[in-house]
Amino acid sequence: MTDPIPIPDGRDLIRTMGWIQLPYSCAGLVRKTAVSGRNTVWSWLILIPWASDSKPWIDGTEVIAASTKSEEEERDEIVARLRGILDQRYGETVGNRVVDDLIRSILEDE
């Protein structure tokens, strides 16, 4: 009897897509999608696997006016914006939860 052929689950393909790690256990994908005239258009997607609302992702586009920045500098700027979005949306809630968990663990150890 031969071994069954494994069914691919897509993880290898996902690894090659360029996902980056973001705060709050999120993952992001940033793509330069177009250059229009003197502007560069970037699209981005943040996956929030633990989100309890109906939309476990945040997506959008950014238009960056022509400048002397390299593609890597523009990408870094977009990633910084994604981190800012997550901080604004989840920072206080997650921070408070961490403090509550720490206090709870200290009190349980007594």
Side-chain angles (χ1 to χ4, degrees), residues 11-32:
R11 291 180 190 186
D12 289 335
L13 180 59
I14 290 172
R15 285 185 191 102
T16 65
M17 294 175 73
W19 289 94
I20 58 173
Q21 185 175 351
L22 293 171
Y24 312 106
S25 299
C26 297
L29 189 61
V30 177
R31 295 275 190 249
K32 182 177 178 180

Side-chain angles (χ1 to χ4, degrees), residues 2-3 26 29 38 58 77:
T2 62
D3 291 331
C26 297
L29 189 61
R38 298 186 309 157
I58 305 169
E77 184 179 315

